[in-house]
Each structure stands twice: as C-alpha cells, then as structure tokens.
Amino acid sequence: TIEMEQGRRCSEFDIVRREAQIRNHIVYIGRCDVRRCPPILGPQFVYEVVASNFCPECVTDNLEEWRFFMANIAALVKPGGILIMTALKGARSYSVGPMHVPVVHIDENDLRHVLKELGFFPHSIMLRSVPADRPGRHYEGLIFASAIKRPL
C-alpha cells in the first residue's frame, strides 16, 4: 500500500512510520462477543471504523439471531462511521479441519436489507461477491461489504 501511495519502493523507515501512525489511531483492542448486548465488555465507545470478518453469520444458523448479532455490531459504529464486513454467501457450513460448523444462509439481499434497517445510508451500501475458491466448499462464495451509518 505504501508503495502504491508513494509511487516508489518503500524503505524500512516508511514501514516503521506507518506502523506508528496506525498505532496512534487504534482506540481500543479488546474482546467482543456479538451474542452479548453490548458486545464489548468495559468502556462503551462507538467507532469511526468497525470491521467484522466472518462473524455474525458464522456463530448461528438462525436468521433472527443473525439480525440481532448484526444490530450489536452496528451499534458500535459511530454516526457517519463506516462498517466493513466480509461474510460467507449462501453457506450451509464452514469447515475447521474435519468438523463442519453450521452457519446461517445469507446473500447480498439479506445483508443489504439488514444494513438499511440498522440505519446505514442505502446509497452507501457497497456489496461485492466472489465465488467460492473451489468446488466442495459448503458456501457459494464471499461477500465484501461496506456502509456508512446515518446520523441520529
């Protein structure tokens, strides 16, 4: 990324400087459990950027629970802030070694609908999908999403 931004090879110093910039912007690192309300124990904050990767759809196989978990994640996003997500599309399960873990079956329409319901600007919702990387996966593909939360 640094090389693309600068148009030249980056040095060790460039990497150290970027690391320091990122560390200066990190507000909080802690445990989060989307099944709890609020999902973060300790001080309650809202954030300008919240990232969730393969989380709410992978801890339940129930659509109503998934909506509840999505609401918990959305509550962490500051008005005007951005939610960035990756999710399994059209999944029945995912595998961890020989185990198959059941998940909720969602697609782009489900995600777009819940993001609108949770107060994200409809025009800001960006969804991109890619197919599963190989046959035999227990999901159709991956969904990449971002959305900006409306002010209260």
Side-chain angles (χ1 to χ4, degrees):
T1 302
I2 297 170
E3 289 178 357
M4 291 176 66
E5 291 171 355
Q6 296 179 353
R8 63 173 175 77
R9 294 200 52 84
C10 67
S11 67
E12 184 79 23
F13 176 75
D14 293 326
I15 294 169
V16 170
R17 181 176 53 201
R18 178 60 56 92
E19 181 181 351
Q21 290 170 337
I22 291 170
R23 288 183 185 279
N24 285 334
H25 286 88
I26 294 175
V27 176
Y28 178 76
I29 296 177
R31 294 179 183 236
C32 181
D33 184 345
V34 297
R35 297 169 297 180
R36 296 176 48 105
C37 189
I40 296 178
L41 298 176
Q44 298 302 304
F45 297 108
V46 288
Y47 302 91
E48 290 182 28
V49 179
V50 172
S52 174
N53 297 296
F54 309 109
C55 180
E57 79 280 9
C58 292
V59 294
T60 185
D61 58 359
N62 179 285
L63 199 57
E64 287 306 312
E65 284 184 339
W66 172 76
R67 286 188 181 106
F68 175 78
F69 301 156
M70 285 293 298
N72 283 347
I73 292 169
L76 299 172
V77 182
K78 177 183 199 174
I82 300 171
L83 174 63
I84 301 168
M85 293 187 67
T86 51
L88 294 178
K89 174 184 176 180
R92 296 183 307 279
S93 66
Y94 69 92
S95 59
V96 178
M99 281 183 16
H100 288 276
V101 179
V103 300
V104 72
H105 185 283
I106 61 165
D107 62 20
E108 297 88 346
N109 292 328
D110 297 313
L111 192 50
R112 182 180 312 280
H113 181 75
V114 78
L115 289 171
K116 287 179 187 177
E117 283 182 343
L118 294 173
F120 290 86
F121 285 115
H123 68 276
S124 77
I125 299 170
M126 296 177 43
L127 303 173
R128 301 286 183 270
S129 296
V130 296
D133 62 343
R134 64 180 185 265
R137 292 284 195 191
H138 294 263
Y139 52 87
E140 295 171 17
L142 307 177
I143 305 170
F144 304 93
S146 66
I148 298 171
K149 195 169 189 182
R150 288 190 298 251
L152 297 175

